[in-house]
Every structure is written in C-alpha cells, then in structure tokens.
Amino acid sequence: MWRVCVYTIVLVVCSLSGIQGQLRIDPTEEEVVHLWAEYLELILPDYYMITSQQFPDTEKDGDDDSFIEGIWCLHYMSNTYGTFYYPNGTEVVVYTGTISSNGATNDYTGPDPIFQTDEQLTYAVLCRDADSTTPITSDYEGLYKCIIDDRTLVVGVYDTSTYNDNTGPEAGDMSLSLISTPRYVDPPVFNLIFTVTNGPPTDVTCTGPNSFSIDETSDDLSREVVNDGTATLVTVTVRMREGGNYQCTVSNARVEDGTINSVTATEGSSSLSVSVSDTPTGLTLTRLGTGLLHVQLSWTGSSPGYEVFYSLSGS
C-alpha cells in the first residue's frame, strides 16, 4: 500500500521594431525550435518569466540593427513559424500593419499585446507597443504558448510592476498517483503531481531516496499550462519502489533577480513522504461456491490495502 503525506512550487510581453527580420544567432541543432528574445539577445528557456519592458517596439539604447525587439517563435532551419496563444487559450490577434525600422516612427495600431507576423518573415513574433503608457492588465498577464512543429513553448508575461512585486513561484501540495498500466510493471511506476502558481517554474529540481534526482530537462518531468494560464501542473514520473521523502524545488528569473523595491522573491518547494508496504505473505486463494469466477484472496502483512490484479488463462 502506498501511503501519502503532503507538504509543499509565466508571462511575457514584447514590442516591434524593424520590418526586416533576420536572427543573428547560430543555435545548435538541439535549439532549432525555440523562443528568442531579441531585446535580451537570449534563447528563452521553456517557462521563462519576462516583463513588458523586455520586448518593446523601439530599439534599445545603443542598438541600431533593425531587428524586431519581440519574442520570436521559430524553427531556425526551416520556413515554419509558430502560433501564439493568450493565457486563456485563444489565438493572439494577428497584426499586419507597418512597423518602421529603428523606431524612427511608430505606426503601431494593433491590439496590446499582439502576435505579429509579416509576409517577409518566417517567424512568429509576440510584441507590445512601447509607446503605450497603459499597464498590462491581469487579463493579459500569464502563460503564453507558442505551438510550432508539434511542440509547445511557454513564456510567462507580466507587467513590470507585477513582476517587481512578485515573491516567487508558489508550489501547491504534492500528491501521488499510482500508474497501474501495464499491470505487470515491477517496480511499480507512480507520478508525483503538484501545481505552481505566482509565476512559471523555469527550473525544477526533484530529489528523493536512493539518490533519486531529476530536473526539467528529463523526459520523466512534464509541465502543462492550466487554469487559464495562471498555473502550471508539474508531473514527475518515478520508476522505482523506494519509500522516503520526495521534494521538488522550483525557481525562475524573478527569484534570480532577488530583491526589487524591497520585495524579495524566493524559490518554492513541494514535498511528499511516501511509504511502501511490506511484501504480503501467506497468500491464500479460495474458490467460493457462488460462482466459478468468485474467489477470495487473503494474505498477511504489516499493512492492508494492496491493489490486486488477475489474469485468466486456459480453462
């Protein structure tokens, strides 16, 4: 029997500048599909956290290269581009107006924030009007998804004031789900599940008994946008029969920034104490007189509540 005790883990806006868009990066083959923040000159890790000032539609100081200063969603080696979705799951509005280069003039008239594309580009670009003095409202803050080549990339977008006041990702209670399919798996496979709010979990590190260790780069850890883009569901698959304490810690860019205007952001954590029942002994199978398929199985052991599987073969 598995016993469980629980203790406890983004948003991005951008702007436009320059019509002719080439990327000045030469990513590795593993990074050909990614989000690129031109203003930051950074390939964004999945579930990164960013502010509206970090993708404006005007050139940053000292920058005169005519690159669009938005969040690019692209396949570097092909002519494919992604589609951005608001936190609530609807497609970001497409803007096809003229954007003048180097911020000399700003013909931006689209909605805010926007998904921008141009016939001369093969990339999707998420942007924000830098001339706007209106803060990003909570309706537009949250986890934005870009779907490209059957992949989903996520970036957390927030207004600057929201970002500055953020205290770090918060991890909810962790729960356990036993995966019983296929039934013959030994050791049994189980999932550890928890939800992260108050910012995306860019970095996730989980540890447990018997040197168990996993992070966000593992195929056994997944993140999924839930609750209209306000939270992230984290699932960790454990492939061993080991009782003990399992703990996951989450962090993001706001945590790395530390204290802003006297507000300090800290990492979040979620943990779960898992106990493993002893192997049952004294198994006894008794056929009941109420029918050929009616049997009674009994055993002895330190804990009740085992899961029982059966198969039928022959006659």
Side-chain angles (χ1 to χ4, degrees):
M1 174 172 116
W2 296 91
R3 285 181 173 173
V4 178
C5 301
V6 178
Y7 306 91
T8 312
I9 66 158
V10 231
L11 254 152
V12 176
V13 187
C14 71
S15 308
L16 303 178
S17 175
I19 284 186
Q20 305 302 325
Q22 316 167 16
L23 269 302
R24 52 181 161 193
I25 55 175
D26 185 16
T28 65
E29 184 175 349
E30 291 76 15
E31 297 169 335
V32 293
V33 178
H34 58 246
L35 296 177
W36 166 259
E38 171 61 22
Y39 187 83
L40 300 175
E41 299 183 15
L42 175 69
I43 292 178
L44 298 182
D46 211 10
Y47 286 84
Y48 195 78
M49 189 174 184
I50 198 169
T51 78
S52 57
Q53 290 183 334
Q54 295 173 323
F55 53 108
D57 63 354
T58 55
E59 295 291 331
K60 62 183 177 180
D61 293 342
D63 194 2
D64 187 21
D65 54 22
S66 299
F67 288 95
I68 296 176
E69 301 284 3
I71 306 299
W72 301 60
C73 180
L74 66 149
H75 190 303
Y76 186 76
M77 303 300 291
S78 72
N79 293 326
T80 59
Y81 56 91
T83 301
F84 276 105
Y85 294 86
Y86 290 119
N88 65 10
T90 61
E91 184 176 342
V92 175
V93 176
V94 176
Y95 176 66
T96 58
T98 301
I99 307 297
S100 58
S101 63
N102 300 325
T105 60
N106 183 7
D107 296 329
Y108 175 91
T109 56
D112 178 22
I114 66 168
F115 162 68
Q116 187 273 342
T117 185
D118 184 275
E119 292 181 356
Q120 299 176 9
L121 300 176
T122 55
Y123 319 110
V125 185
L126 184 70
C127 301
R128 169 174 168 76
D129 182 9
D131 291 343
S132 174
T133 59
T134 303
I136 300 297
T137 65
S138 58
D139 292 338
Y140 288 110
E141 291 182 319
L143 300 174
Y144 281 72
K145 295 187 293 186
C146 177
I147 298 179
I148 176 173
D149 290 353
D150 297 325
R151 289 187 56 184
T152 299
L153 307 177
V154 177
V155 58
V157 177
Y158 301 88
D159 185 71
T160 301
S161 61
T162 303
Y163 182 92
N164 291 346
D165 292 339
N166 185 275
T167 55
E170 298 175 358
D173 291 341
M174 185 182 290
S175 61
L176 180 147
S177 174
L178 180 63
I179 303 176
S180 300
T181 304
R183 302 290 189 180
Y184 52 80
V185 170
D186 186 26
V189 178
F190 62 93
N191 284 337
L192 301 174
I193 304 168
F194 59 96
T195 301
V196 182
T197 56
N198 202 41
T202 311
D203 301 310
V204 185
T205 302
C206 301
T207 58
N210 197 24
S211 301
F212 174 80
S213 180
I214 201 172
D215 61 27
E216 72 279 354
T217 64
S218 171
D219 291 338
D220 285 334
L221 187 147
S222 67
R223 293 166 290 183
E224 179 185 359
V225 177
V226 295
N227 298 344
D228 288 335
T230 63
T232 304
L233 182 68
V234 178
T235 302
V236 179
T237 300
V238 181
R239 305 178 187 277
M240 64 182 189
R241 184 183 179 89
E242 291 290 342
N245 186 65
Y246 291 83
Q247 177 168 316
C248 294
T249 302
V250 295
S251 183
N252 56 30
R254 180 61 185 89
V255 176
E256 295 172 359
D257 286 343
T259 301
I260 301 176
N261 298 333
S262 300
V263 177
T264 301
T266 58
E267 61 188 18
S269 65
S270 182
S271 63
L272 184 68
S273 179
V274 177
S275 62
V276 181
S277 299
D278 295 336
T279 301
T281 58
L283 285 172
T284 302
L285 180 66
T286 304
R287 187 182 298 277
L288 302 178
T290 54
L292 293 179
L293 298 181
H294 293 178
V295 297
Q296 176 178 292
L297 180 65
S298 60
W299 62 86
T300 59
S302 61
S303 301
Y306 295 92
E307 188 172 3
V308 178
F309 310 105
Y310 71 92
S311 63
L312 300 176
S313 60
S315 58

